[in-house]
Amino acid sequence: QVQLVESGGDSVQSGGSLRLSCAASASTLERYTIAWYRQAPGKEREGVACIVGLTGSTHYTDSVKGRFTVSKDNAKKTVLLEMNGLKPDDTAVYYCAAAPLPACNADAPSGIFDYWGQGTQVTVSS
């Protein structure tokens, strides 16, 4: 059973930074691709970033390139999403998801991921 637990969501002003964490087991981080998705009110869930467990390869959706960084901390058994230069459009519930994929594309449909966390709220005010 794959369990994912997000944390780190908060309210910040435009231009601020946040670090989100997705806690998982060591085996999950080694064998699964972990992705971050977000969903704003009235909008579809969209991919943000992903990291492949086996290779560490990463991918980002265009709107966050250069501002967000996804990484793994194997010692802490977490996947991190460092978010800088936050904008009001980044406001959403952020979810991490896992699937046994050998590669990842942050723009992939959310339906390919098998396991999801409960989400953490990020609010960016102007």
Side-chain angles (χ1 to χ4, degrees):
Q1 183 74 10
V2 174
Q3 292 187 322
L4 306 170
V5 180
E6 303 96 333
S7 62
D10 206 343
S11 296
V12 297
Q13 291 195 330
S14 183
S17 299
L18 282 175
R19 177 190 291 180
L20 304 184
S21 297
C22 175
S25 69
S27 62
T28 298
L29 294 186
E30 291 175 4
R31 296 164 46 201
Y32 285 72
T33 285
I34 305 294
W36 286 95
Y37 281 77
R38 66 186 179 186
Q39 189 165 20
K43 295 187 177 181
E44 293 187 358
R45 192 169 295 190
E46 65 171 353
V48 175
C50 55
I51 185 166
V52 180
L54 289 174
T55 65
S57 177
T58 60
H59 190 260
Y60 301 88
T61 195
D62 285 346
S63 64
V64 307
K65 285 180 180 176
R67 299 190 298 125
F68 290 12
T69 303
V70 61
S71 62
K72 283 197 305 175
D73 187 330
N74 291 323
K76 295 183 179 179
K77 301 177 185 177
T78 61
V79 171
L80 302 173
L81 184 67
E82 299 270 4
M83 306 188 295
N84 298 309
L86 284 163
K87 306 174 182 179
D89 283 349
D90 296 317
T91 295
V93 177
Y94 283 70
Y95 301 88
C96 62
L101 302 170
C104 77
N105 184 324
D107 299 314
S110 61
I112 68 170
F113 285 88
D114 306 306
Y115 303 98
W116 292 83
Q118 82 287 353
T120 186
Q121 176 71 47
V122 172
T123 303
V124 185
S125 59
S126 58

